[in-house]
Amino acid sequence: MKIVTWNINGIRTFRGGIKKALDSLDADIICVQETKVTRDLLDERTAIVDGYNSYFSFSRGRSGYSGVSTYCKDSATPCAAEEGLTGLLTHHEGAVGCYGDQSEFCSEELQLLDNEGRTVITQHRVMCQDKEQTVTVINVYCPRADPEKPERKQFKLQFYKLLQSRAEAILKDGSHVIVLGDVNTSHRQIDHCDPSDIEDFVENPGRKWLNGFLHSETNEEEPKEEPEVTSSDPVHGGKFMDTFRHFHPTRTSAFTCWSTMTGARQTNYGTRIDYIFADCQLAKEQFVAADIMPEVEGSDHCPVWGKLSCSLLPSSKAPPFCTCYLPEFAGKQQKLSRFFVKVDQKTIQSEHREALPGSQEEEELRENLKPSGAGNASGKKRLLTTSDSVVPKGKKAKTCPKPQGSLLSFFKPKLPTAAPSTEAPEKKTLGTDKVTSSQNSQKACTTSKDTSSVTSSETVPELLDDASPKLCTSMKSDKPMNLKPLAPAPDGGESGAKKGASLGFWKSVLHGPPPPPSCKVHREPCVLRTVKKEGPNMGKQFFVCARPQGHASNPDARCSFFAWVEKGK
């Protein structure tokens, strides 16, 4: 049994085809985070993959944000599955259950913690040492503590507590548990490229939680730079183990996440925040290997894999939470009226109840079009004041069977007597013409040339009112003098001079980017950056070394050169 976790930073990472990407990972259970897709944007190619069954959790509040999914091979079909940690999103059979003690959370907190699409749980039957057992895989994308938003720090800690409560409840119920995904906290100094002061590093609330969640193997050889456990630290008596550190306790520079803005992956200047945690018994008895895959690109994270000696026992049928049961992918033919009716979003939201945002409603809004109603609609009097008629989007305008005027009819001279006398009546009787044309189509088809010219004037009245006198005079006379306005203007040199003067003026006003200086260490041209963080320097530009970020001891990394761009340059 092989499992893989990977923060893909958007489902579009699988550009070469999602099946090809999944097959290349060569795993039975593939858990991905940060899909950045909502249900209304999920297409069938992504949701239904040949040879796999998938399970998605979407963000309810923001589009293009968060989201996790689990792909299981058909040979690893789970016996139960659900989304979320609280159980509030579960309204079907085949759920995992075991929600633990949630007394310290209020109902609003529980709803918010499951509102961002951060958890998918699948439960699998396995054969371990000739004994059938269950393994529950909790795929999580833990929140990031934004330093500019203090409330997110508390949200992250609350998510950690809820995750631990749920995982330990499932473990207590008799199932083995694997918690994997992007935890968004590096545990130890060895898991960070450049740890800050030891006191600040250890006092981080996320690391304190990891200390209590994970079991510390006292017999393992600790790295020299690892600080001693003090009395203020939580007791390392957790029920789960970091499988990577179980097999590689002293490996350094083993990172899973790098900043793409600074090119830090080139210098391996990153952190290890993606994990596969397993309960202690499972990690010691069944896990045979675990490692990272930094060679796999396509995201700012790399995959992490783990291999177990137990074999999977697939379920005969996927649980109800499987994506294949969603109405849009279940193979049910939708009604034709669905594609032509404009859905009222307010009505959907009021009748939505507990359905997913952006999802298709079970009850469709229909528009009953009666034959009599169509006639009445065409009989409404409308005055055409512009050349463009407003037609509702998605509906084809009904036109009378009048013959289409040829292009030459627009250039024919207008009768001098008809122009002043028929202009006003045309606009007045235009609405009634449409009614009579729909009732007397045969008469409209046998009109004379004068009627066709009037029809053309009805189609574009403003165009003919302004342009027809000029066109008529040009058509009456074949003299070349009338074509002089269409020829190039004789003062072309003057216009060119004006353009040159205008170009020079804008060049003097709008300066281009200043020439980049060279950094002092590498003697290479710097890159121009702009301050985007709110504060007194927001919007200012500066130059820094163009090399990727790295450790100060790395000569190939970015040097410390920094220079503000002076005003007026």
Side-chain angles (χ1 to χ4, degrees):
M1 172 182 172
K2 184 180 178 182
I3 55 176
V4 166
T5 176
W6 189 15
N7 181 319
I8 57 175
N9 193 22
I11 202 72
R12 293 183 180 87
T13 298
F14 300 138
R15 295 174 182 173
I18 190 165
K19 178 173 173 54
K20 181 179 179 181
L22 295 177
D23 290 343
S24 65
L25 293 174
D26 189 27
D28 300 293
I29 303 170
I30 301 171
C31 302
V32 296
Q33 301 86 40
E34 208 171 354
T35 59
K36 297 182 180 180
V37 65
T38 47
R39 181 171 172 179
D40 57 327
L41 299 177
L42 182 65
D43 58 359
E44 187 172 355
R45 182 183 61 179
T46 304
I48 310 299
V49 182
D50 185 31
Y52 296 84
N53 47 89
S54 63
Y55 307 84
F56 277 79
S57 180
F58 312 98
S59 172
R60 267 95 171 142
R62 293 169 56 183
S63 180
Y65 174 74
S66 188
V68 297
S69 65
T70 299
Y71 289 88
C72 303
K73 279 187 177 180
D74 291 342
S75 58
T77 302
C79 57
E82 65 177 271
E83 74 168 318
L85 294 171
T86 63
L88 297 177
L89 305 178
T90 304
H91 307 286
H92 54 76
E93 299 293 332
V96 177
C98 304
Y99 300 102
D101 183 15
Q102 300 177 354
S103 58
E104 60 177 306
F105 304 95
C106 65
S107 59
E108 185 179 355
E109 280 182 322
L110 293 174
Q111 188 174 5
L112 290 175
L113 288 169
D114 263 352
N115 199 43
E116 297 183 352
R118 294 185 176 275
T119 310
V120 165
I121 306 177
T122 56
Q123 194 170 73
H124 307 261
R125 294 190 183 95
V126 295
M127 185 65 69
C128 299
Q129 299 173 351
D130 298 330
K131 183 181 179 181
E132 183 176 334
Q133 301 180 16
T134 60
V135 173
T136 303
V137 179
I138 305 179
N139 175 13
V140 292
Y141 174 44
C142 296
R144 172 180 170 267
D146 191 338
E148 298 181 4
K149 298 179 180 179
E151 68 277 6
R152 294 299 292 180
K153 181 179 180 180
Q154 182 63 24
F155 182 85
K156 178 178 181 178
L157 295 177
Q158 290 293 89
F159 188 90
Y160 281 158
K161 290 180 181 178
L162 185 62
L163 172 61
Q164 182 173 359
S165 174
R166 182 72 190 274
E168 292 179 352
I170 297 174
L171 182 63
K172 186 178 180 180
D173 192 56
S175 173
H176 289 296
V177 178
I178 296 175
V179 179
L180 76 173
D182 182 356
V183 180
N184 255 321
T185 298
S186 56
H187 186 201
R188 300 173 178 174
Q189 292 188 19
I190 195 176
D191 301 318
H192 198 285
C193 60
D194 193 11
S196 58
D197 186 79
I198 292 179
E199 291 183 5
D200 295 334
F201 193 89
V202 175
E203 291 300 319
N204 181 280
R207 295 187 179 95
K208 283 188 172 183
W209 173 80
L210 280 173
N211 288 339
F213 181 72
L214 297 177
H215 175 76
S216 177
E217 298 180 89
T218 56
N219 59 343
E220 72 176 8
E221 182 183 352
E222 293 286 340
K224 292 182 181 180
E225 65 270 21
E226 192 67 23
E228 293 291 335
V229 178
T230 62
S231 57
S232 61
D233 291 330
V235 179
H236 290 204
K239 296 178 172 59
F240 295 87
M241 293 177 61
D242 180 353
T243 57
F244 176 82
R245 284 295 171 211
H246 177 65
F247 292 101
H248 314 283
T250 58
R251 185 195 291 184
T252 59
S253 302
F255 306 133
T256 63
C257 180
W258 306 265
S259 172
T260 55
M261 297 182 63
T262 59
R265 192 164 189 170
Q266 300 177 40
T267 55
N268 194 26
Y269 193 73
T271 55
R272 191 174 73 94
I273 60 176
D274 302 88
Y275 304 92
I276 297 179
F277 300 142
D279 66 84
C280 296
Q281 183 182 1
L282 187 69
K284 293 177 180 179
E285 296 180 1
Q286 300 298 328
F287 267 83
V288 295
D291 212 335
I292 61 176
M293 304 170 68
E295 71 280 0
V296 178
E297 298 182 346
S299 170
D300 56 341
H301 294 247
C302 77
V304 181
W305 62 269
K307 190 173 290 186
L308 295 83
S309 59
C310 55
S311 57
L312 285 156
L313 301 176
S315 178
S316 58
K317 185 180 180 181
F321 179 55
C322 184
T323 314
C324 65
Y325 297 125
L326 293 178
E328 53 266 44
F329 306 125
K332 296 179 181 179
Q333 185 175 3
Q334 299 189 35
K335 296 182 179 180
L336 189 62
S337 61
R338 180 69 182 177
F339 298 92
F340 298 97
V341 176
K342 186 176 181 180
V343 180
D344 188 1
Q345 297 295 333
K346 294 182 180 179
T347 306
I348 289 182
Q349 293 176 2
S350 63
E351 299 177 357
H352 216 289
R353 294 175 303 199
E354 296 171 339
L356 289 174
S359 63
Q360 298 182 3
E361 282 292 316
E362 296 179 0
E363 297 180 0
E364 298 178 350
L365 297 176
R366 304 173 184 174
E367 182 177 351
N368 298 322
L369 301 176
K370 299 181 180 179
S372 58
N376 294 334
S378 63
K380 291 183 179 180
K381 196 170 184 179
R382 289 182 288 179
L383 298 177
L384 184 61
T385 57
T386 60
S387 60
D388 297 331
S389 59
V390 180
V391 181
K393 187 177 179 181
K395 295 184 180 181
K396 190 175 181 180
K398 295 183 179 180
T399 56
C400 59
K402 291 184 180 181
Q404 184 178 5
S406 63
L407 187 62
L408 293 177
S409 64
F410 290 95
F411 299 97
K412 289 183 179 180
K414 199 173 184 181
L415 295 178
T417 57
S421 60
T422 60
E423 183 177 359
E426 281 176 9
K427 293 183 179 180
K428 291 181 180 179
T429 60
L430 181 58
T432 56
D433 286 345
K434 290 187 177 181
V435 177
T436 54
S437 63
S438 62
Q439 296 176 351
N440 305 319
S441 57
Q442 295 181 354
K443 293 181 180 180
C445 295
T446 57
T447 53
S448 61
K449 292 182 179 179
D450 295 337
T451 309
S452 64
S453 65
V454 174
T455 305
S456 64
S457 67
E458 288 178 356
T459 307
V460 193
E462 289 186 357
L463 177 63
L464 287 180
D465 289 344
D466 298 335
S468 58
K470 298 177 182 179
L471 293 174
C472 291
T473 55
S474 63
M475 293 298 293
K476 286 180 181 178
S477 176
D478 296 331
K479 294 180 181 181
M481 62 174 58
N482 293 331
L483 301 177
K484 285 183 179 180
L486 301 177
D491 54 353
E494 296 180 4
S495 62
K498 290 181 179 180
K499 289 182 179 180
S502 176
L503 185 62
F505 168 75
W506 287 112
K507 281 186 175 181
S508 64
V509 174
L510 301 176
H511 299 281
S518 297
C519 64
K520 305 300 182 183
V521 177
H522 306 106
R523 303 294 180 183
E524 297 173 351
C526 295
V527 290
L528 184 66
R529 305 291 188 196
T530 304
V531 179
K532 297 183 179 179
K533 187 177 180 180
E534 293 185 2
N537 294 324
M538 185 175 180
K540 287 187 177 181
Q541 293 182 317
F542 59 93
F543 286 103
V544 292
C545 178
R547 295 203 176 190
Q549 187 180 13
H551 199 274
S553 60
N554 187 351
D556 295 328
R558 176 185 300 174
C559 65
S560 59
F561 179 84
F562 178 91
W564 289 107
V565 175
E566 298 179 8
K567 292 184 178 180
K569 288 191 176 182

